[in-house]
Amino acid sequence: MNSTTLLIYTLLVSMLLLLQAPAGESTFLLIACLYRLNICPFRTTTTTVGTTSSR
């Protein structure tokens, strides 16, 4: 099975759960956070920048 096909099927199942039960919303958000999508509420906007110190 292709990985993109698996992703599409997973998203379809999560959308069906979202429409069927209120608990499905948390499943959809969990999948969104696992795939690091922009709609994940736990995704931070800060980035870590490495600093170089010269003496």
Side-chain angles (χ1 to χ4, degrees):
M1 176 179 277
N2 194 355
S3 63
T4 55
T5 306
L6 180 65
L7 174 65
I8 291 172
Y9 286 153
T10 305
L11 289 176
L12 285 175
V13 168
S14 65
M15 290 302 289
L16 287 173
L17 284 173
L18 181 63
L19 294 174
Q20 293 296 322
E25 184 179 357
S26 62
T27 304
F28 180 72
L29 290 176
L30 174 66
I31 292 172
C33 290
L34 287 175
Y35 286 109
R36 297 180 183 256
L37 299 177
N38 290 334
I39 60 172
C40 178
F42 303 109
R43 186 176 175 159
T44 60
T45 57
T46 58
T47 58
T48 58
V49 178
T51 59
T52 59
S53 61
S54 60
R55 292 182 180 193

